[in-house]
Amino acid sequence: MSGTGDEGPEAGAGPAGGRAEPEAPGSALSVDLPGLLGQLARSFALLLPVYALGYLGMSFSWVLLALVFLACCRQSRVLKASRLFRALALLEDEERAVRLGVHACDLPAWVHFPDTERAEWLNKTVKHMWPFICQFIEKLFRETIEPAVRGANAHLSTFSFTKVDVGQQPLRVNGVKVYTENVDKRQIILDLQISFVGNCEIDLEIKRYFCRAGVKSIQIHGTMRVILEPLIGDMPLVGALSIFFLRKPLLEINWTGLTNLLDIPGLNGLSDTIILDIISNYLVLPNRITVPLVSEVQIAQLRFPIPKGVLRIHFIEAQDLQGKDTYLKGLVKGKSDPYGIIRVGNQIFQSKIIKENLSPKWNEVYEALVYEHPGQELEIELFDEDPDKDDFLGSLMIDLIEVEKERLLDEWFTLDEVPKGKLHLKLEWLTLLPDAANLDKVLADIRADKDQANDGLSSALLILYLDSARNLPSGKKINSNPNPLVQMSVGHKAQESKIRYKTSEPVWEENFTFFIHNPKRQDLEVEVKDEQHQCSLGSLRIPLSQLLMSDNMTINQRFHLSNSGPNSTLKMKIALRVLHLEKQERPPDYQHSAQVKRPSVSKEGRRIPVKSQTSVSPGTGGSNTAPSTPVMGVEDKPVREEKPQPPEASPLGQRDLGRSSSSLLASPSHISAKEPTPSIASDISLPIATQELRQRLRQLENGTTLGQSPLGQIQLTIRHSSQRNKLIVVVHSCRNLIAFSEDGSDPYVRMYLLPDKRRSGRRKTHVSKKTLNPVFDQSFDFSVSLPEVQRRTLDVAVKNSGGFLSKDKGLLGKVLVALASEELAKGWTQWYDLTEDGTRPQVVT
């Protein structure tokens, strides 16, 4: 029994029992024999020279010499490895390698590490290729541009280029920057600083009118972005090449011949601006030239990618600005009339002007599309409005990569290039979500679920890719090809495509974007028109709620046009993206600060401040960066000094939101009137007027209860004349208006047919002096067809005129009349209640 018990543990020993079986002597000797022999050999190799030296009677110095030799060999190997390591580190990061090797105090002042690299090898290559590039440009002018100009108009049928010589000076690349951080792994992004100064000769002639003109020199400077994407595993390793400018390049043209008149001061800047607008329609972000290198690449997706995000800018207030206004030839210093210019890439916004205030409060909101992270910044410049040249009050530049990381920034920023001044901004980075899971929360946050569907902060972004049309009707003339264009509108915001001449199957390949307030209530309206005969070729209405139920909130198909030919179709790709603010959880002691960049140009070398903002004309441009909001006329510009508001009305609440704004193109020419960009948090036509009107209502109320129509009423007759093809509006009278002064008011009526708010589309009555019940009895007309006018809105505003240089100018009330009524052909005469912003007018029978 005992023997059996002793054998049990031994039998269970092994891998499972945690005990190893005793190894055989042979196996142990075979495992250790190589190591033992190696150690003996090393010992023998060390002792043999010493024994040999003693046996031969030689000096011990030979042993020391051998040790020194071995040490030198080892040191040489270490130095060689160190040199190789430093060389590899230098290739990877030159700046870090130099700073590790040399102390910062030992570096000369002129040593710096720019983020751009010289590319002389590229310039030598371009110089060698320049004659062949010139041949390609001449071929492009003669075979592509010349036939297109001839076919555009019958009067240009004899148009021709008599000489095309680009010159001997090649295009030069002054620097190259390659982005390695915050980029997709399947793309390569390069910024090329290009410069072209050429004594070119491009002469053209119209033989029919004996007209000759041309260009004798061109200068163009700018930063061109080149994107190689997608990277693939087969040759040529790159799927496509995309080229565009991040912002408008600097352009200077010297004209000759008949067009030499354009060199006259005043016309020179205008001509360059028009040409820059044409360049922007093709080569300035979001427009781009895309060259596919592999046939399988989706060229439409590469040519018009979805924006990376939307930047919502709360332009709140400033403090401690410089006083630039002076009196009595500088003996008396005054204050400033500050306003701000905000740039995000090619999108430009201008704030309202606050009169005589060094701590202005704007409380305006703008939304801008961001297509490219690296290389794009938020640029803000403050100016003091003056009759001649506006004075500079400071600037600020913020890296958008930092804003994207933080998602939400609400800080005071110190202004650059001025001794004092601070600016308060709130920046929100909105991501684009392809599903509607968070839409209800977003609508509740911006209060879009209760207010009107067309106004206020945006909850979504509509991206429309207009591809082509087929089998369009001939228009008014039978057997004649139309000149089709497409008009698209969402609410009050409208855009137009380019015109395609003499074709019933046009191809546009253009991209458009619309900021959407409430996609559950808004519709996309599309109409194809013949530009030559001003008639409709077909229309289409798509409820945006249909996109919410689609896969990935995207529709890509051919749509059948109504009121068109039996087989007329329009191919579009429409995508809806919800704008979501991701709020990151931060510890209470978390400190964040966006990286503020110093401007690369001095105050003297900066661009001339924007003296005028003109809305992007959809007819002249192709793809727009953002939905276009027209800018008001000069009469709508606020001239009253901003007064302190009561605490309950100081910041604009969500209930005070007006319509969203858009990107505007800045004109560097000097024009006397500055027109602010409408803020999302402001009235449709006048940013500050609604605030002043609400404040005046509170003062009138003063503890009493006002009537049902506190701002008064206006009587209008509205009808559409099918024979004249015009909308007729008769302004009869107003009653019970509010008094602007002790003598009453000097009212007049201003009208727009939205979304057209151009100066030519404005209608005005005469001014009635010192009365609260004016009688006008004036008739106005708008040239518009009945189907089109039913998609428009009549914007009627009653304003106080005041005298010359008078401060008593402002808004007395507004009304927005929707014209989508079947009774429009018969017409009606009604009284309408005036409100502060024209929303939800109440009709008085």
Side-chain angles (χ1 to χ4, degrees):
M1 294 293 294
S2 61
T4 306
D6 293 338
E7 291 175 1
E10 294 180 3
R19 294 175 57 185
E21 296 181 359
E23 297 181 354
S27 63
L29 183 62
S30 62
V31 171
D32 297 332
L33 183 58
L36 180 61
L37 293 177
Q39 185 176 0
L40 290 175
R42 285 192 297 271
S43 301
F44 180 76
L46 291 174
L47 295 176
L48 181 61
V50 179
Y51 174 78
L53 290 174
Y55 181 78
L56 297 174
M58 300 178 67
S59 173
F60 189 73
S61 301
W62 289 100
V63 177
L64 297 178
L65 185 62
L67 293 177
V68 171
F69 177 74
L70 291 175
C72 290
C73 292
R74 180 171 296 181
Q75 183 67 20
S76 176
R77 288 196 300 268
V78 171
L79 291 176
K80 185 177 180 180
S82 177
R83 287 195 300 270
L84 180 62
F85 174 77
R86 287 199 300 269
L88 293 174
L90 188 66
L91 287 175
E92 184 175 353
D93 192 342
E94 179 182 2
E95 180 180 357
R96 184 172 179 272
V98 172
R99 294 193 182 278
L100 286 176
V102 183
H103 294 290
C105 58
D106 297 333
L107 287 174
W110 48 265
V111 174
H112 64 284
F113 299 93
D115 54 358
T116 58
E117 305 172 12
R118 294 177 61 85
E120 289 303 319
W121 64 271
L122 185 57
N123 290 322
K124 294 177 181 177
T125 304
V126 173
K127 183 177 181 180
H128 188 72
M129 297 173 57
W130 189 247
F132 303 95
I133 296 176
C134 293
Q135 293 179 16
F136 167 75
I137 294 176
E138 182 177 1
K139 184 179 179 181
L140 178 68
F141 271 77
R142 296 191 184 279
E143 298 182 4
T144 304
I145 299 178
E146 185 175 305
V149 175
R150 286 182 175 181
N153 195 298
H155 299 285
L156 300 176
S157 59
T158 58
F159 174 89
S160 64
F161 288 102
T162 58
K163 185 176 182 180
V164 178
D165 183 6
V166 187
Q168 301 300 321
Q169 292 295 328
L171 179 76
R172 181 170 180 81
V173 179
N174 297 324
V176 178
K177 180 178 180 180
V178 182
Y179 291 91
T180 57
E181 298 179 356
N182 301 306
V183 296
D184 192 349
K185 293 181 179 180
R186 296 194 63 190
Q187 68 177 191
I188 298 175
I189 300 179
L190 303 92
D191 282 349
L192 307 181
Q193 297 177 359
I194 64 170
S195 176
F196 176 67
V197 181
N199 295 323
C200 58
E201 292 185 41
I202 303 175
D203 298 330
L204 57 91
E205 181 183 15
I206 304 177
K207 296 180 180 179
R208 182 175 180 178
Y209 300 103
F210 304 100
C211 174
R212 292 185 179 182
V215 175
K216 61 182 179 181
S217 67
I218 295 178
Q219 293 190 37
I220 185 168
H221 309 274
T223 301
M224 176 175 287
R225 172 155 294 185
V226 179
I227 299 180
L228 308 175
E229 67 170 341
L231 301 180
I232 56 180
D234 298 324
M235 295 301 294
L237 301 180
V238 177
L241 175 71
S242 299
I243 303 173
F244 56 89
F245 285 101
L246 286 173
R247 64 191 68 186
K248 285 185 179 180
L250 300 178
L251 178 68
E252 183 176 337
I253 299 177
N254 191 8
W255 303 91
T256 184
L258 180 64
T259 52
N260 196 35
L261 294 173
L262 297 177
D263 281 333
I264 298 175
L267 291 179
N268 187 17
L270 179 62
S271 63
D272 291 351
T273 301
I274 293 173
I275 295 175
L276 272 178
D277 291 344
I278 296 174
I279 295 175
S280 299
N281 294 331
Y282 292 94
L283 266 179
V284 177
L285 195 68
N287 308 299
R288 60 186 68 196
I289 293 178
T290 302
V291 181
L293 303 179
V294 180
S295 58
E296 292 82 7
V297 175
Q298 293 293 330
I299 192 69
Q301 183 177 357
L302 292 175
R303 189 175 294 160
F304 301 106
I306 292 179
K308 300 293 190 300
V310 171
L311 181 66
R312 182 175 291 160
I313 308 163
H314 297 258
F315 194 64
I316 303 175
E317 59 181 326
Q319 284 186 0
D320 199 23
L321 298 179
Q322 287 182 292
K324 292 289 186 177
D325 294 340
T326 57
Y327 306 97
L328 299 178
K329 295 185 178 181
L331 296 177
V332 179
K333 281 197 171 184
K335 297 183 179 182
S336 294
D337 306 325
Y339 69 93
I341 296 175
I342 304 168
R343 295 185 182 92
V344 180
N346 200 37
Q347 303 163 84
I348 302 179
F349 312 94
Q350 178 177 334
S351 73
K352 63 191 176 188
I353 301 168
I354 307 298
K355 293 291 185 178
E356 298 182 1
N357 200 325
L358 298 181
S359 297
K361 294 184 178 181
W362 291 283
N363 290 317
E364 296 186 336
V365 185
Y366 304 100
E367 291 174 340
L369 299 176
V370 180
Y371 282 88
E372 295 291 333
H373 288 119
Q376 270 200 305
E377 296 89 16
L378 168 64
E379 304 175 51
I380 300 177
E381 292 177 321
L382 300 184
F383 291 95
D384 167 38
E385 183 207 24
D386 283 326
D388 46 5
K389 182 180 179 181
D390 294 353
D391 296 319
F392 178 70
L393 295 177
S395 65
L396 187 65
M397 187 178 295
I398 300 176
D399 195 342
L400 293 184
I401 295 179
E402 300 294 327
V403 181
E404 183 195 9
K405 291 179 181 177
E406 297 293 341
R407 301 295 179 180
L408 176 63
L409 284 175
D410 190 352
E411 293 186 12
W412 284 91
F413 296 92
T414 303
L415 296 174
D416 292 327
E417 302 185 78
V418 287
K420 63 178 182 177
K422 297 188 298 181
L423 182 63
H424 186 195
L425 298 175
K426 181 181 178 182
L427 306 176
E428 298 175 349
W429 180 270
L430 307 177
T431 56
L432 306 182
L433 302 182
D435 59 80
N438 296 316
L439 179 59
D440 292 335
K441 182 179 181 303
V442 173
L443 293 176
D445 290 341
I446 66 173
R447 302 189 180 183
D449 52 346
K450 298 179 181 179
D451 297 333
Q452 293 190 52
N454 295 330
D455 304 327
L457 295 175
S458 303
S459 64
L461 181 70
L462 181 67
I463 306 157
L464 188 150
Y465 177 67
L466 178 64
D467 188 279
S468 60
R470 288 182 182 175
N471 303 319
L472 293 180
S474 58
K476 289 187 177 181
K477 290 187 178 181
I478 303 176
N479 298 327
S480 65
N481 288 327
N483 298 338
L485 64 89
V486 180
Q487 291 182 345
M488 294 145 288
S489 63
V490 179
H492 295 146
K493 292 162 279 190
Q495 298 185 54
E496 283 187 359
S497 70
K498 297 187 181 74
I499 302 172
R500 294 293 181 254
Y501 295 95
K502 304 297 181 182
T503 177
S504 59
E505 297 194 356
V507 177
W508 287 282
E509 295 183 343
E510 297 180 51
N511 176 262
F512 302 89
T513 54
F514 292 88
F515 284 113
I516 306 300
H517 181 61
N518 190 341
K520 294 183 176 180
R521 303 179 183 177
Q522 292 181 271
D523 298 334
L524 170 66
E525 298 179 0
V526 182
E527 183 175 11
V528 184
K529 283 189 170 184
D530 183 5
E531 187 270 340
Q532 183 177 3
H533 301 103
Q534 292 296 318
C535 62
S536 177
L537 301 177
S539 60
L540 176 68
R541 179 189 289 265
I542 303 175
L544 298 184
S545 57
Q546 181 179 346
L547 285 165
L548 298 176
M549 299 178 290
S550 302
D551 185 25
N552 202 31
M553 292 204 296
T554 303
I555 298 177
N556 186 9
Q557 68 180 58
R558 286 196 171 273
F559 297 89
H560 289 278
L561 296 173
S562 59
N563 301 321
S564 184
N567 299 319
S568 299
T569 59
L570 185 67
K571 185 177 181 182
M572 296 186 299
K573 180 179 180 180
I574 311 171
L576 189 68
R577 295 294 181 264
V578 176
L579 303 181
H580 178 59
L581 176 61
E582 298 180 2
K583 297 181 180 180
Q584 300 182 358
E585 296 184 359
R586 304 289 191 185
D589 56 346
Y590 177 77
Q591 297 291 332
H592 63 270
S593 178
Q595 180 180 356
V596 179
K597 294 188 173 183
R598 301 291 175 182
S600 58
V601 294
S602 62
K603 180 175 63 177
E604 292 78 9
R606 68 178 58 254
R607 256 182 297 184
I608 300 174
V610 179
K611 287 287 184 177
S612 174
Q613 303 285 354
T614 57
S615 62
V616 183
S617 175
T620 60
S623 308
N624 294 333
T625 310
S628 177
T629 299
V631 182
M632 315 76 60
V634 180
E635 286 79 7
D636 288 340
K637 190 184 80 170
V639 295
R640 296 175 59 87
E641 177 180 350
E642 187 183 64
K643 299 178 181 179
Q645 297 180 352
E648 66 271 15
S650 179
L652 291 178
Q654 298 287 351
R655 58 185 174 83
D656 298 333
L657 300 176
R659 67 182 297 183
S660 70
S661 62
S662 147
S663 64
L664 303 175
L665 296 181
S667 172
S669 58
H670 184 91
I671 303 176
S672 59
K674 286 176 283 291
E675 299 177 350
T677 307
S679 165
I680 299 174
S682 302
D683 180 72
I684 292 178
S685 62
L686 199 57
I688 197 173
T690 302
Q691 304 173 45
E692 294 180 345
L693 188 56
R694 289 193 176 110
Q695 184 177 351
R696 194 175 296 110
L697 273 178
R698 296 188 187 97
Q699 295 172 355
L700 290 174
E701 186 174 1
N702 195 20
T704 63
T705 302
L706 296 178
Q708 186 177 3
S709 304
L711 297 180
Q713 299 165 339
I714 184 172
Q715 188 182 31
L716 302 173
T717 295
I718 303 174
R719 68 181 181 88
H720 185 271
S721 172
S722 58
Q723 295 179 349
R724 300 171 58 189
N725 203 29
K726 290 184 178 181
L727 175 70
I728 310 298
V729 181
V730 180
V731 181
H732 295 287
S733 60
C734 299
R735 64 188 181 190
N736 302 327
L737 299 178
I738 63 174
F740 228 94
S741 63
E742 295 179 356
D743 297 329
S745 299
D746 299 334
Y748 70 94
V749 179
R750 186 270 301 144
M751 291 183 293
Y752 285 112
L753 189 59
L754 299 180
D756 182 13
K757 297 190 70 175
R758 294 173 297 178
R759 196 180 188 86
S760 59
R762 184 175 59 212
R763 306 290 187 268
K764 287 174 55 178
T765 67
H766 64 264
V767 179
S768 294
K769 296 290 186 179
K770 300 179 180 179
T771 177
L772 302 182
N773 299 285
V775 177
F776 301 102
D777 288 329
Q778 288 184 254
S779 178
F780 303 92
D781 58 76
F782 299 86
S783 296
V784 61
S785 63
L786 181 60
E788 184 178 355
V789 76
Q790 290 180 337
R791 298 194 295 269
R792 310 283 280 272
T793 301
L794 183 65
D795 179 6
V796 183
V798 183
K799 297 188 174 185
N800 187 65
S801 175
F804 182 66
L805 297 179
S806 172
K807 291 186 177 180
D808 292 331
K809 295 182 180 181
L811 182 68
L812 295 175
K814 287 186 64 175
V815 60
L816 295 175
V817 182
L819 302 177
S821 173
E822 298 179 357
E823 303 294 329
L824 189 60
K826 300 179 181 179
W828 63 79
T829 301
Q830 291 177 345
W831 285 93
Y832 293 89
D833 285 345
L834 296 174
T835 61
E836 307 103 272
D837 53 5
T839 57
R840 292 189 297 181
Q842 297 179 0
V843 180
V844 182
T845 57

